Amino acid sequence: MKHWPFHLTVLAAVVACCSVGLVLMALFATNQTVESLPALFQVAGNMHPLLLHLPIGIFIYLLFAVTLNALSDWNGTAWRIQGIGPMLAFGVVTAYLAAGAGLMLYLQGDYQGELVNNHLWWGLGFALGCGAIALVAVAKGLESTNFLASLYGVGVLLVVTGHYGGLITHGDPLEPLKIEPAAPVKEIPIQRQFVFQDVVAPIIEDKCVYCHSSTGKQKGGLVLDSLEGMIAGGYTGTSLVPGSLEESLLSVYIHLPESDDLHMPPVGKTQLTEEEIQVIDAWVAGGASQEMRIADANLPSDLVEWLVEQSGTELEVVLESPLDSKVIEQIVAFEDRYGKCISRFGPEGRELAFTAVNLRNVLNDDILEEIEVIAPYVVDLDLSQTQISGEALGQLIPNMKRLERLDLSNTAIDDASAVWLRKSPPSSLQSINLYNTELTDKSIESLTRLGGLQSIYLSGTQISSEGVEQLKQSLPDAKIFYELAAIDPVNEKK
């Protein structure tokens, strides 16, 4: 039996130990949560952006040098590049160091998502490939075909790893070359547009998601590309408390002076304008509802004009009636007592939106009865954070034949009181928000009767993950927004 030379055996042992260590570290990093990483490891992780450039440059140089030497052998020229061995050794060492530092950076929790995981595993493959090529170089020689083939294989791993790393850090480098179709002009008047979907979300996408994405960088453990991520918050707590500017860090941090370390966006990044800050504040203070329309946000007129300018739409002129005079009288009388809460839009102003954002502390079943006369015209109904009962809803909602959007988030609605779901749900309903209500799996069958639904918000309910899956099967075209509660009532029993 032929034995390996001593120096090759030692090299193989060192490469094997380092490789096993990296693999074990990667498995640990991707399957465990480290709440507080020691400072030394944090510093090591922060060195990853520096270290990663060394093996990149070295292996690009090696690919060029070895290819040139091979061509020189082929055509008989005497000009050759020397020093391949020392450069290879340095490249292998820095590749392992960069991979280890990258895993330390991953453990800090600021980078998550599919894109980051792809970079992690391809980077690990590149580092292990570098170790393997060192063994090939010693065993077969730097002039061998095996070494040349291995080097090109590692080059492929380098390109893929660098591609994912570049996407994380800089985005798609080909983005400027992409010819995008002109954005369609929104035909929906500014008053009817949604504050979150049409204004707040694009602002956050442009100014904040770069560092707080569910698929990439997550500074401070915070994700801002979804409403659920905002409410979940990061290491310092929730970034969004609907209705409270003081408790919503999303609002607090953007108001801090730029000299403050907690100011967001950080210095050097594109800052929010005063108008953007005002819109975000109005949305948070108004309950941070996804169903809130600009018409209901009580925005100052100059801010509405700014939104018109930004969106390229126009203000909608509501024609004075062909609403029934009794309906108009009811609207005027109701708003005289309780303040502005009814908006008119649509053809000839015959569609109504009712929001209880200014009535949350007073709205009860008796007050709700007063809007029965406008029920046939209501398209958008926001009763979030009110004390209304299911019985009152059972009397009111069946008369809302045009109802498209219903917000019952943070109400006491439960299975027993949601009688309207079982008896006569409106067929026109497209979106229903049941966030933080008392519904359980017993209401799943009733929800499946809402066949026209496009979006359902169930986070914070007592509905189990199994119930959500059942709902997905029954309503395959609906988007279901759901995060498992701290205690899943079904899974807890298993």
Side-chain angles (χ1 to χ4, degrees):
M1 180 178 179
K2 184 177 179 181
H3 294 282
W4 280 13
F6 177 74
H7 67 282
L8 185 56
T9 303
V10 173
L11 178 62
V14 172
V15 169
C17 289
C18 293
S19 299
V20 170
L22 281 181
V23 172
L24 291 177
M25 189 185 302
L27 292 174
F28 174 81
T30 53
N31 290 280
Q32 300 293 329
T33 299
V34 179
E35 295 184 358
S36 180
L37 200 65
L40 184 61
F41 291 100
Q42 293 183 40
V43 173
N46 294 338
M47 297 297 290
H48 177 67
L50 171 64
L51 292 172
L52 66 87
H53 292 93
L54 296 175
I56 291 175
I58 290 170
F59 275 91
I60 290 176
Y61 169 80
L62 287 174
L63 283 166
F64 170 77
V66 171
T67 301
L68 184 62
N69 288 349
L71 292 174
S72 298
D73 292 340
W74 175 69
N75 60 25
T77 58
W79 194 79
R80 297 174 59 80
I81 296 179
Q82 305 298 323
I84 301 296
M87 289 294 290
L88 175 63
F90 187 59
V92 171
V93 172
T94 54
Y96 274 81
L97 290 175
L103 291 170
M104 294 294 180
L105 183 60
Y106 183 89
L107 280 170
Q108 295 183 30
D110 289 340
Y111 293 86
Q112 299 291 329
E114 182 179 357
L115 190 62
V116 174
N117 286 335
N118 287 337
H119 177 64
L120 184 154
W121 290 112
W122 279 98
L124 179 63
F126 169 68
L128 300 183
C130 291
I133 203 175
L135 295 177
V136 172
V138 174
K140 300 295 184 179
L142 296 174
E143 307 295 332
S144 67
T145 304
N146 290 332
F147 174 71
L148 183 61
S150 301
L151 186 60
Y152 279 115
V154 169
V156 172
L157 295 175
L158 173 62
V159 169
V160 177
T161 302
H163 169 68
Y164 284 121
L167 290 178
I168 294 170
T169 307
H170 305 292
D172 188 352
L174 301 180
E175 188 68 31
L177 300 178
K178 295 180 179 179
I179 301 177
E180 297 183 357
V185 177
K186 290 184 177 179
E187 297 180 356
I188 303 176
I190 193 68
Q191 299 102 313
R192 292 193 59 189
Q193 293 183 29
F194 295 101
V195 180
F196 178 73
Q197 174 184 312
D198 296 309
V199 184
V200 173
I203 292 172
I204 292 176
E205 173 71 27
D206 184 43
K207 303 291 179 68
C208 309
V209 169
Y210 173 81
C211 292
H212 302 286
S213 169
S214 59
T215 59
K217 189 183 299 184
Q218 295 178 5
K219 298 296 291 182
L222 177 62
V223 172
L224 293 178
D225 55 10
S226 69
L227 184 60
E228 290 78 9
M230 296 178 195
I231 294 175
Y235 301 148
T236 56
T238 179
S239 62
L240 177 62
V241 178
S244 175
L245 292 174
E246 294 76 13
E247 297 178 88
S248 297
L249 298 182
L250 173 67
S251 180
V252 172
Y253 285 177
I254 62 179
H255 281 281
L256 293 174
E258 288 192 39
S259 58
D260 195 300
D261 291 339
L262 294 178
H263 170 80
M264 291 294 151
V267 176
K269 301 294 184 182
T270 305
Q271 298 297 306
L272 295 168
T273 66
E274 286 299 322
E275 292 85 359
E276 290 171 337
I277 292 174
Q278 289 181 54
V279 171
I280 292 175
D281 283 349
W283 174 67
V284 173
S289 169
Q290 288 187 304
E291 307 302 326
M292 179 194 292
R293 293 183 182 273
I294 291 173
D296 304 321
N298 296 320
L299 300 179
S301 58
D302 58 339
L303 191 56
V304 174
E305 292 177 4
W306 176 81
L307 289 172
V308 170
E309 180 181 346
Q310 296 297 309
S311 65
T313 60
E314 297 181 354
L315 287 169
E316 181 177 47
V317 178
V318 178
L319 300 179
E320 288 303 328
S321 259
L323 277 180
D324 185 273
S325 59
K326 182 179 180 181
V327 175
I328 297 176
E329 292 174 4
Q330 181 74 11
I331 293 174
V332 172
F334 190 91
E335 291 192 332
D336 282 344
R337 288 194 297 274
Y338 303 111
K340 180 173 175 54
C341 50
I342 301 171
S343 301
R344 295 175 61 182
F345 52 86
E348 300 181 324
R350 292 179 63 86
E351 295 180 352
L352 304 179
F354 179 88
T355 175
V357 65
N358 297 321
L359 303 175
R360 286 171 176 162
N361 296 325
V362 298
L363 186 66
N364 53 33
D365 291 356
D366 293 334
I367 296 177
L368 199 62
E369 289 181 4
E370 297 182 36
I371 67 169
E372 284 189 9
V373 69
I374 70 170
Y377 305 96
V378 173
V379 175
D380 195 325
L381 180 62
D382 181 359
L383 299 176
S384 60
Q385 301 185 48
T386 62
Q387 303 302 314
I388 48 87
S389 69
E391 289 72 20
L393 286 175
Q395 296 294 322
L396 179 67
I397 291 182
N399 297 322
M400 294 183 171
K401 303 300 183 181
R402 301 184 187 181
L403 187 62
E404 296 178 3
R405 289 164 294 277
L406 176 61
D407 190 346
L408 297 175
S409 60
N410 294 290
T411 62
I413 299 301
D414 57 17
D415 299 321
S417 59
V419 291
W420 58 273
L421 275 175
R422 295 186 292 275
K423 292 184 177 180
S424 53
S427 58
S428 58
L429 196 61
Q430 299 176 10
S431 173
I432 184 169
N433 190 341
L434 298 168
Y435 171 78
N436 205 27
T437 60
E438 300 298 320
L439 294 184
T440 72
D441 286 357
K442 294 179 180 179
S443 292
I444 292 296
E445 184 177 353
S446 299
L447 286 170
T448 60
R449 300 184 61 191
L450 302 174
L453 280 179
Q454 298 175 6
S455 57
I456 314 172
Y457 300 86
L458 297 176
S459 297
T461 66
Q462 298 301 310
I463 293 176
S464 69
S465 55
E466 285 82 356
V468 171
E469 289 302 320
Q470 180 184 341
L471 196 57
K472 287 180 178 179
Q473 293 177 8
S474 301
L475 301 173
D477 296 329
K479 291 184 179 179
I480 301 177
F481 300 87
Y482 171 78
E483 285 188 358
L484 192 65
I487 298 179
D488 187 323
V490 171
N491 290 330
E492 184 189 23
K493 299 176 183 177
K494 297 182 178 180

